Every structure is written in C-alpha cells, then in structure tokens.
Amino acid sequence: MIKAVFYLHKKDVIGYEISGHAGYATKGYDIVCSAVSVLSQTITAELNNAVLNDCEGISVRLIEPNVRNRVLCETLIHGLKQIEEQYPKNLKVDVYETRN
C-alpha cells in the first residue's frame, strides 16, 4: 500500500511523505502506482523553496507558505484522495494538523 501523509500548520501544508508500493498489479502495469507517481512528482517539482528528500519515496519539508505552494499542495491532496476513493486497498491518505 502507498501511504501519503500530509502535515498542516494553520491550514498550510508544511510537509508531506509519500512512500510504499500500491500492489495493484505487477511492476510496469500498476496503474495506481503510476497515477500517484506522476501526480506527486509533478506537483513536488513545481513547489517553491521546499526541501526535498527523494529517498525511498518522496519526503518534502519546510514548504514555504505562499499562495502558489498552497494551491499546489491542495491539488496534490485532492488528487490523491480521488485515487484513494477508487483504490482504498492500495492508497491511504492522512492529513494531520499541527497544534503549534
């Protein structure tokens, strides 16, 4: 299963991690993995001033709170949740609001 975890502070995404394997089909034929990969890699590449760690998935931290990044992150969450609705056994999306 792919797990996507988003961390919010005052409604701004300050970081996220996406990792795992969908397990929907064999490598090269897994449409869930392909959808999550293309969406997350495209959005991540467009973020301004974010710290990216591309080891065993995608890990993004210190996302600058600006309008462009907010729209990109909301688009990523929305897109992943749509995939999760269709493939709940293959993708789990969690969103956590920090208290500080």
Side-chain angles (χ1 to χ4, degrees), residues 27-45:
K27 186 176 180 178
Y29 298 93
D30 195 321
I31 61 172
V32 177
C33 184
S34 295
V36 170
S37 293
V38 74
L39 180 62
S40 61
Q41 289 176 16
T42 300
I43 295 291
T44 300

Side-chain angles (χ1 to χ4, degrees), residues 2-45:
I2 297 173
K3 294 186 180 183
V5 181
F6 291 84
Y7 304 97
L8 280 65
H9 179 69
K10 297 181 181 178
K11 298 186 181 181
D12 284 316
V13 175
I14 57 171
Y16 58 87
E17 298 170 355
I18 303 170
S19 62
H21 300 283
Y24 180 77
T26 59
K27 186 176 180 178
Y29 298 93
D30 195 321
I31 61 172
V32 177
C33 184
S34 295
V36 170
S37 293
V38 74
L39 180 62
S40 61
Q41 289 176 16
T42 300
I43 295 291
T44 300

Side-chain angles (χ1 to χ4, degrees), residues 14-95:
I14 57 171
Y16 58 87
E17 298 170 355
I18 303 170
S19 62
H21 300 283
Y24 180 77
T26 59
K27 186 176 180 178
Y29 298 93
D30 195 321
I31 61 172
V32 177
C33 184
S34 295
V36 170
S37 293
V38 74
L39 180 62
S40 61
Q41 289 176 16
T42 300
I43 295 291
T44 300
E46 294 301 316
L47 291 172
N48 291 330
N49 299 322
V51 176
L52 169 66
N53 178 4
D54 198 10
C55 183
E56 300 206 19
I58 293 176
S59 177
V60 180
R61 294 279 181 263
L62 304 173
I63 299 172
E64 182 180 307
N66 60 47
V67 174
R68 177 186 168 90
N69 285 350
R70 186 175 302 119
V71 170
L72 287 167
C73 288
E74 287 174 2
T75 301
L76 179 57
I77 292 170
H78 180 71
L80 291 175
K81 284 188 173 191
Q82 286 183 316
I83 297 168
E84 179 187 35
E85 285 177 16
Q86 292 182 349
Y87 302 95
K89 293 179 182 177
N90 308 99
L91 173 62
K92 175 69 175 147
V93 179
D94 290 314
V95 179

